[in-house]
Amino acid sequence: MILIVDDKPENILSLRKILELHDFEVDTASSGEEALKKILRNNYALIILDVQMPSMDGFEVAETISGYSKAKDVPILFLSAVNKDKKFIAKGYASGGLDYITKPVDPDILLMKVKTFIRLYEQNRQLQEMHASLQKEVEVRKNAQAALNAKVQEQHSILESLPQVAFTAGGDGAVEYANRHWFDYSPSLTEFPVTYDHEQQQLSVWENAIKAGLPLEKEVYLHHRQHHHYRCHLLRAIPLEEDGRIVKWVGTFTDIAHQKQANEILEQRVMERTRELQEMNHALEASNHELQQFASVASHDLKEPLRKIQLFGTILRDRHLGTNPDALQYMQRIVSSSERMTRLINDLLQYSRLSADVPFETVDINAIIREILADLELSVRDACAEITTSAFPVVEAIPGQIRQALQNIISNALKFTRPGVAPCIHIQAERVLEKEFHSPAAAEGPFCRITINDNGIGFNEAYLPKIFTLFQRLHSTDVYDGTGIGLAIAKKVVERHQGIIGATSRENEGATFIMVLPVEQPKTAAN
């Protein structure tokens, strides 16, 4: 009887149907614990054991079975859909399994292996019975020997049917039997096929395995005696023990040349794609550097004629147009437009410089906030503004950039005020657990959340996606002065610091800007 152990009913059903269609008697268990109880009560010729099971996996079940005197000789066939790595396969053999098959399972191969293991089990059981009976009579011993020879011949027939090079060897490593594929790589049973590495240097793989007495699984190259080429094979050899002593080895050479070639092609393509991406990255860095240089040169060349327009326009306005109100008004517009153009160029230049490779350093944001408020002292006093701040943690940042981002948001809070309402601005910081706007606070959290709240004119949150975009303004320059770049600069600074920025607001109820920054910059960003 065959015992199938699997925690998934659909897997048990499919295996049971396959085996019962070929007249095998089947019993099932849905867990390792249930299987161990059944093994103590019943006799089984084969255990088909799933590796990935909750509570008690297949390796643990196999190791426990090996301690049962009643069931230690029952062959175990491992099945796994997840643990396909070599180390798991080796662990399966080491824990008592005779074979390790990965899912999906080929029914024909499964049936062939099941028949082989059941026959081996039956042979072992019959040999034990024969040993007891041979002590009583010589004739029975002769009959048992004949039966054994017949079974061995059947085993050899099965090995002959395999597409791999298959062989059996004694405990000392001397090859006892090999199928016909053996002779493609060796002239006789007494000579083990010479194994090579990928550089065609000889390897003593088989000799080392015999000395170590451990299961063997290694990629080797074999030289074909007729075609004179080297092909990659996977050599597997399993030691069979009796009374703690290795009495036999069962091994196969499986041709994996095509699979190996496919893997090498894939690795080559990955390397080529990586090289292409690196070249593209270098090209983008060069282009970015050129754009920064262009922005710097262009801003310098643009500001020079603007300065002359402002200078001569101011001279004309103040010295020669005092008696002509219309001309004075037009000249005032020219001067104001040139000043706004100068601010726009300066903001664009600042924005382009944010991509420059500037190192991060430990920054005391409390000091930066004090400097910003000192610079904005006149604006705060003119607006009769009330500003409160909390203590900031020390973070890794680029001081100039983080200062620019905070100053732009605070300046907006002082600029976009409601008529007749004194501005109230609250600046708060706290450490949080995650890079999320609503993450819970934590004293040792890896992120710092900065909140800047005001009671100004606010905005409709339908326009939230626009406010961090270049040149996007919700109000005309006639009402509120500005270039529409300040929040875009703040967003780019926060992203440069691997952080996030957002806002909440209602019209005429103020606005809240939130930045979440890492306390320590990731190594890739910091470098």
Side-chain angles (χ1 to χ4, degrees):
M1 183 164 58
I2 300 173
L3 175 63
I4 302 174
V5 185
D6 200 309
D7 61 318
K8 294 184 179 179
E10 61 271 23
N11 293 342
I12 291 179
L13 178 62
S14 62
L15 290 173
R16 184 168 192 163
K17 288 296 183 183
I18 292 172
L19 296 174
E20 287 182 345
L21 285 174
H22 291 78
D23 300 324
F24 288 108
E25 186 179 356
V26 178
D27 193 7
T28 64
S30 59
S31 67
E33 293 83 354
E34 182 183 358
L36 294 175
K37 293 178 182 178
K38 289 195 172 187
I39 290 170
L40 290 174
R41 295 195 303 265
N42 306 313
N43 294 321
Y44 297 101
L46 174 64
I47 299 173
I48 300 178
L49 186 56
D50 182 40
V51 172
Q52 195 76 12
M53 293 188 295
S55 179
M56 192 175 190
D57 64 26
F59 299 138
E60 294 173 329
V61 175
E63 290 171 356
T64 305
I65 292 173
S66 65
Y68 292 172
S69 59
K70 176 183 178 182
K72 66 180 181 179
D73 294 325
V74 178
I76 297 174
L77 175 60
F78 281 111
L79 294 179
S80 176
V82 178
N83 298 329
K84 301 182 180 182
D85 192 86
K86 292 179 182 178
K87 65 179 180 180
F88 294 109
I89 297 174
K91 186 176 181 181
Y93 290 132
S95 62
L98 287 186
D99 206 347
Y100 194 110
I101 301 178
T102 57
K103 299 177 183 177
V105 179
D106 187 321
D108 294 333
I109 293 178
L110 176 64
L111 286 170
M112 183 183 300
K113 290 181 180 291
V114 168
K115 291 177 182 178
T116 301
F117 290 136
I118 289 179
R119 288 192 185 101
L120 289 173
Y121 175 82
E122 290 296 328
Q123 290 171 11
N124 186 47
R125 185 178 59 82
Q126 290 174 12
L127 286 172
Q128 292 175 356
E129 294 174 355
M130 289 178 191
H131 180 71
S133 64
L134 281 173
Q135 295 177 352
K136 298 178 181 179
E137 57 179 295
V138 175
E139 189 62 32
V140 175
R141 185 181 302 163
K142 291 181 180 179
N143 294 336
Q145 187 63 40
L148 179 60
N149 291 337
K151 293 296 182 181
V152 171
Q153 184 61 41
E154 184 179 3
Q155 177 188 356
H156 291 173
S157 299
I158 293 172
L159 293 178
E160 284 292 341
S161 66
L162 294 176
Q164 301 106 317
V165 176
F167 65 93
T168 61
D172 59 355
V175 177
E176 299 172 341
Y177 177 81
N179 64 6
R180 66 185 186 279
H181 302 297
W182 173 277
F183 301 98
D184 290 335
Y185 303 99
S186 174
S188 66
L189 291 178
T190 59
E191 296 183 32
F192 198 86
V194 180
T195 54
Y196 302 88
D197 61 14
H198 66 284
E199 295 180 349
Q200 299 180 11
Q201 299 296 320
Q202 289 191 19
L203 300 172
S204 301
V205 176
W206 177 242
E207 294 81 356
N208 294 337
I210 299 300
K211 292 177 183 178
L214 297 174
L216 171 64
E217 182 168 338
K218 187 173 181 61
E219 290 183 8
V220 297
Y221 285 81
L222 298 181
H223 181 260
H224 199 284
R225 297 175 60 235
Q226 182 179 358
H227 302 301
H228 303 292
H229 57 224
Y230 292 86
R231 291 188 67 81
C232 186
H233 287 72
L234 179 62
L235 170 58
R236 288 193 181 102
I238 309 165
L240 305 180
E241 298 184 1
E242 287 184 7
D243 300 325
R245 182 174 58 89
I246 296 176
V247 296
K248 188 178 286 295
W249 290 81
V250 179
T252 58
F253 286 94
T254 303
D255 191 331
I256 59 170
H258 294 299
Q259 177 184 347
K260 189 77 172 176
Q261 184 179 15
N263 289 341
E264 290 174 354
I265 292 174
L266 179 59
E267 290 177 0
Q268 181 64 29
R269 289 180 178 175
V270 170
M271 292 176 59
E272 291 175 356
R273 183 55 179 163
T274 301
R275 186 170 59 253
E276 291 175 359
L277 291 175
Q278 290 174 342
E279 291 174 355
M280 291 173 61
N281 187 49
H282 292 324
L284 287 173
E285 289 178 354
S287 177
N288 187 45
H289 181 66
E290 291 175 358
L291 285 173
Q292 291 176 12
Q293 289 182 323
F294 171 77
S296 179
V297 172
S299 63
H300 178 273
D301 292 344
L302 287 172
K303 284 193 290 185
E304 181 60 27
L306 279 174
R307 279 194 293 268
K308 291 181 178 179
I309 292 174
Q310 289 177 249
L311 175 62
F312 293 128
T314 303
I315 293 173
L316 283 173
R317 181 193 63 191
D318 296 341
R319 297 183 182 180
H320 304 288
L321 301 179
T323 58
N324 191 336
D326 290 338
L328 183 63
Q329 179 184 1
Y330 294 142
M331 185 55 63
Q332 180 61 40
R333 289 183 180 182
I334 291 173
V335 173
S336 298
S337 296
S338 62
E339 290 174 349
R340 188 163 57 252
M341 188 65 177
T342 300
R343 290 195 299 271
L344 179 60
I345 292 172
N346 290 333
D347 287 349
L348 281 173
L349 184 59
Q350 284 184 346
Y351 188 83
S352 68
R353 287 173 177 168
L354 293 179
S355 301
D357 189 11
V358 182
F360 289 86
E361 59 185 79
T362 302
V363 175
D364 181 5
I365 299 185
N366 297 286
I368 290 179
I369 292 292
R370 288 193 296 270
E371 292 173 1
I372 293 173
L373 296 182
D375 291 344
L376 298 176
E377 182 180 1
L378 292 178
S379 298
V380 172
R381 188 171 58 194
D382 292 344
C384 300
E386 177 186 348
I387 301 178
T388 59
T389 63
S390 68
F392 280 72
V394 174
V395 301
E396 286 187 0
I398 301 172
Q401 292 187 7
I402 206 69
R403 174 192 171 116
Q404 187 65 48
L406 292 170
Q407 183 167 327
N408 287 353
I409 296 175
I410 297 172
S411 296
N412 282 351
L414 291 170
K415 182 192 304 181
F416 297 103
T417 59
R418 287 181 286 165
V421 179
C424 290
I425 303 170
H426 303 286
I427 307 170
Q428 180 180 348
E430 58 184 344
R431 295 182 71 158
V432 294
L433 287 174
E434 299 174 347
K435 191 168 72 173
E436 299 289 343
F437 293 125
H438 303 291
S439 175
E444 300 298 326
F447 296 93
C448 173
R449 179 170 57 207
I450 302 172
T451 305
I452 302 175
N453 174 266
D454 65 58
N455 64 341
I457 61 173
F459 60 88
N460 190 329
E461 287 192 1
Y463 300 106
L464 184 59
K466 293 184 176 182
I467 64 173
F468 294 105
T469 306
L470 279 172
F471 306 121
Q472 291 293 330
R473 297 175 50 88
L474 304 185
H475 306 279
S476 68
T477 55
D478 295 336
V479 181
Y480 295 100
D481 195 15
T483 60
I485 300 179
L487 291 181
I489 291 175
K491 182 175 187 294
K492 191 166 184 179
V493 167
V494 172
E495 291 175 348
R496 175 75 172 84
H497 286 70
Q498 312 300 315
I500 56 175
I501 185 170
T504 60
S505 179
R506 289 186 179 180
E507 290 185 283
N508 296 316
E509 294 185 14
T512 300
F513 286 84
I514 306 170
M515 295 187 291
V516 182
L517 304 171
V519 174
E520 296 182 0
Q521 286 294 319
K523 295 301 180 184
T524 53
N527 294 338

